[in-house]
Amino acid sequence: MSKGLTLAEEQKQTSTPVGIIAEVHGPVVVIVCKKLPPLHQALLALCDHEVYLFEVHQHIDEQHVRAITLHRTAGLHRGMAIYDTGAPLHIPITPSCLGRLLNTFGEPLDGGPALQTKDYRNIHNRPVPIHESVGIGDLLETGIKVIDLLCPFIKGGKIGLFGGAGVGKTVLIMEFMHAVATLHEGASVFAGVGERMREGHELWQSLREAGVLPEALMIFGQMNESPGVRFRIGLSALTYAEYLRDSLQKDVLFVMDNVFRFVQAGSEISSLLGRMPATVGYQPTLITEVAEMQDRILSTRQGTMTSVQAVYVPADDMTDPAVNAVLSHLDTSIILSRAQASKGIYPAIDPLQSGSKLFDRHALGEYHYSIAEGVREHLARYHELEDIITMLGVEELSPKDRQIVMRARKLQRYFSQPFYTAASHTGIAGISVPLAQTLADCEAFLTGRYDNVPEERCYMRGGMDELAQ
C-alpha cells in the first residue's frame, strides 16, 4: 500500500468530509463545501483504493470552490466525498533525494524506494527576503566555447535557451548539467515540464552513463498528466533546489525544460476556470505566474542557485507574449538558430542575437571584452556580406572584406563543438575547452595566425593549440 493511500485512509477515518464534488469538467471540479478551504489548499478524495489530490484555485460563492485535479480524472464522479489535508501541497525532503527520479509529489519514478523522512516543505514557499539574498557572483565556465566567450554564464544568474523545435535545446541543457557536475562539483535539479516519456528516459539514461546522476535530482511532470501537474512541477523542483541550497549549502544548477509548457499548462487551467483570454489567447495572469516562479530563483549566503531554462519559441517568433514574459527575467539569453543547425554547426547558437546583460568591461575584464567584440565584428560583417557573396561571389569583395569573411567562416566553424552527452550519437568524444584557451584561439584567428589553416580543420574540435605553427 502506498504512503499516499495510507494518509488518505487515515484522513477519511479521523475527519469528516469538507464537501462533495458537484461538477466535473475535465481536470476542473466544482466542490460544494460547508466551509471554504483557502486558495492553494490541497484536498483529497479516495475511491477504489486510489488517491485523488486537488488544489483549490477559485472561490465561486459562499459554498462552491473550483479545484484542479492533480491526478488522472478517470474515476471521479458527482457526490464523491472530499477531505481537507489542512495544508497546501507538501513534498518530502531529505539528502537522499540526490540521484533520484521523482514526480510532482516527491514519489519515486525510478523504481527505487520512497524517500524516508519526516520533513516536508510547502511548494508555495515565499521567495527569500531581499536582505538574505546575495547578488550574482563570478563567471561560471561551461567549457562550451561560444557561450564562455560571447554570452558568459554568471554564478547565480538566470540563463534562457530560446529556440524552435529540434534545434538542440535539450542536448545543450544536458551538457550544462554535465559541466556543473564535473567542473564545479555542484548539484543539479532538473524539472521536466510536460516531457515526453521517451525524452525523459533518454535524459535519465544519458546522465547515468555520463556519471553525473549521483549529484542530480530529476523531477518529471509528463506530457500525459493533468495540466495541474504540469503547472506545479516547476514549483516542486524549485522547492528541492531551495532545500539543497539552504540546508545542504550546495551550489545548485536549476534546469527547467520547458518553460513554455509551464505557460501552456497555466493557459489550459485558466480557460477551464472560465477566465477571459488575454493577448494571443494566453491567460490574463501570464506575467504574474511567470514572475512567481522566477522570483524564487535566488542565491543566498548558504549557496548559489544558477538557473538554465529552455524556452520553446512558437513558430520561431521571438515577439510571442510568453517568450517576452520569460525574457524580461533573464540575465543571459542564448538564441538557437535553425540557420546554424542547417549548416551543421552545433551547438546551433546564433552568436549575434545571443547576449548577456553582464557583457561589459567591468564584469569580463578588458582582454575578454576586446576579444569578444572583435569576434562579433567579424561575424556581423560576414552576415552583412552574405547576400552579396551569394549573388556575385566572394571574388567581388575588397581584399579587406575577403580577409574578414575568411576569418569569420573559420570562427563560425571553430564554435562548433562535440558534446559529452551526445558522444553516443555522434561517435565523437566530448571536449571541454577552458576559457583561457578559447580567448587565445580567438585572438589568434583575429590576428591572422590561422589564415593558412583550412576551414574544415576548425570544425568540431576543441582548442587549436596543436595546429599552431
Side-chain angles (χ1 to χ4, degrees):
M1 184 179 289
S2 71
K3 185 176 180 182
L5 184 55
T6 306
L7 289 172
E9 288 184 336
E10 287 177 6
Q11 193 84 23
K12 187 173 181 180
Q13 292 167 2
T14 58
S15 64
T16 55
V18 293
I20 60 170
I21 294 179
E23 300 175 27
V24 180
H25 302 279
V28 173
V29 295
V30 177
I31 303 169
V32 182
C33 299
K34 300 167 187 173
K35 181 183 177 183
L36 295 184
L39 293 177
H40 293 164
Q41 190 86 330
L43 309 177
L44 64 81
L46 183 64
C47 179
D48 297 330
H49 300 290
E50 192 166 345
V51 178
Y52 294 90
L53 274 173
F54 309 89
E55 187 177 72
V56 178
H57 274 254
Q58 264 186 359
H59 288 177
I60 302 172
D61 54 33
E62 294 88 344
Q63 290 186 315
H64 294 79
V65 299
R66 278 197 183 98
I68 298 295
T69 312
L70 298 178
H71 289 86
R72 293 176 60 197
T73 53
L76 292 181
H77 58 82
R78 295 176 65 182
M80 180 181 281
I82 301 293
Y83 297 86
D84 192 345
T85 63
L89 186 63
H90 279 57
I91 55 175
I93 55 168
T94 169
S96 62
C97 64
L98 282 173
R100 299 300 303 274
L101 178 64
L102 307 174
N103 67 8
T104 311
F105 313 104
E107 298 167 346
L109 295 174
D110 53 10
L115 298 180
Q116 300 298 322
T117 179
K118 293 183 180 178
D119 293 330
Y120 286 78
R121 276 200 184 189
N122 177 5
I123 68 166
H124 296 285
N125 273 337
R126 292 184 177 181
V128 174
I130 291 178
H131 67 274
E132 292 182 16
S133 64
V134 297
I136 54 176
D138 302 325
L139 284 181
L140 185 70
E141 282 193 38
T142 64
I144 301 171
K145 295 177 286 191
V146 63
I147 289 175
D148 288 344
L149 178 70
L150 298 177
C151 33
F153 286 9
I154 309 294
K155 191 176 284 189
K158 298 176 190 172
I159 300 103
L161 302 179
F162 295 84
V167 291
K169 296 186 295 297
T170 302
V171 172
L172 200 50
I173 272 181
M174 288 162 58
E175 194 69 10
F176 293 147
M177 293 177 71
H178 183 277
V180 165
T182 54
L183 297 179
H184 305 285
E185 299 180 348
S188 301
V189 176
F190 179 88
V193 184
E195 286 283 314
R196 301 175 185 89
M197 181 74 77
R198 172 188 56 78
E199 287 179 339
H201 188 268
E202 284 179 1
L203 178 59
W204 181 42
Q205 292 296 339
S206 297
L207 294 181
R208 286 177 66 180
E209 290 167 7
V212 301
L213 193 59
E215 285 299 312
L217 168 62
M218 304 181 73
I219 318 285
F220 277 103
Q222 295 164 32
M223 192 175 275
N224 65 331
E225 297 191 76
S226 77
V229 166
R230 287 180 273 122
F231 191 52
R232 291 305 183 211
I233 187 68
L235 296 186
S236 291
L238 251 178
T239 304
Y240 277 112
E242 289 168 342
Y243 165 70
L244 295 174
R245 177 196 66 194
D246 299 333
S247 300
L248 303 188
Q249 299 186 354
K250 288 183 175 286
D251 291 333
V252 180
L253 175 70
F254 176 69
V255 180
M256 193 168 178
D257 184 12
N258 186 305
V259 179
F260 184 76
R261 293 195 190 121
F262 160 75
V263 171
Q264 277 185 315
S267 179
E268 198 173 330
I269 288 172
S270 182
S271 299
L272 291 165
L273 293 173
R275 296 189 189 125
M276 185 70 73
T279 314
V280 200
Y282 287 109
Q283 61 269 42
T285 52
L286 170 66
I287 304 297
T288 304
E289 289 167 3
V290 170
E292 280 176 354
M293 187 177 64
Q294 298 287 351
D295 284 352
R296 285 175 59 181
I297 303 172
L298 292 168
S299 298
T300 66
R301 296 181 184 90
Q302 284 72 39
T304 62
M305 189 189 298
T306 307
S307 168
V308 178
Q309 305 166 35
V311 186
Y312 169 70
V313 181
D316 293 339
D317 179 15
M318 289 296 293
T319 63
D320 187 85
V323 174
N324 277 321
V326 178
L327 194 60
S328 61
H329 291 274
L330 302 176
D331 302 310
T332 301
S333 304
I334 296 174
I335 313 299
L336 295 172
S337 160
R338 206 169 295 282
Q340 291 285 90
S342 66
K343 295 174 184 175
I345 296 171
Y346 289 97
I349 296 170
D350 188 324
L352 297 178
Q353 289 191 29
S354 305
S356 172
K357 293 178 181 176
L358 303 162
F359 191 84
D360 57 42
R361 286 184 169 85
H362 301 292
L364 302 181
E366 184 64 40
Y367 178 62
H368 184 161
Y369 183 83
S370 60
I371 296 294
E373 281 296 282
V375 169
R376 279 188 190 276
E377 286 171 10
H378 276 64
L379 294 173
R381 182 59 179 161
Y382 175 42
H383 182 67
E384 289 173 5
L385 296 170
E386 273 186 310
D387 288 342
I388 295 174
I389 294 169
T390 302
M391 290 185 292
L392 303 176
V394 72
E395 295 79 13
E396 297 301 315
L397 300 178
S398 67
K400 184 179 180 181
D401 279 343
R402 277 204 301 273
Q403 185 183 68
I404 288 173
V405 167
M406 176 189 67
R407 291 175 181 174
R409 286 175 61 87
K410 290 177 183 177
L411 280 166
Q412 199 176 55
R413 282 148 183 76
Y414 171 73
F415 287 139
S416 64
Q417 186 170 341
F419 282 170
Y420 290 98
T421 50
S424 60
H425 301 285
T426 61
I428 307 173
I431 299 173
S432 178
V433 183
L435 175 60
Q437 173 78 57
T438 303
L439 291 172
D441 287 345
C442 289
E443 183 181 27
F445 276 114
L446 296 176
T447 55
R449 282 179 55 197
Y450 296 130
D451 281 359
N452 295 324
V453 175
E455 286 179 10
E456 59 270 15
R457 298 285 303 277
C458 306
Y459 180 68
M460 276 294 172
R461 65 180 307 116
M464 298 287 291
D465 47 344
E466 67 267 27
L467 295 179
Q469 301 296 332

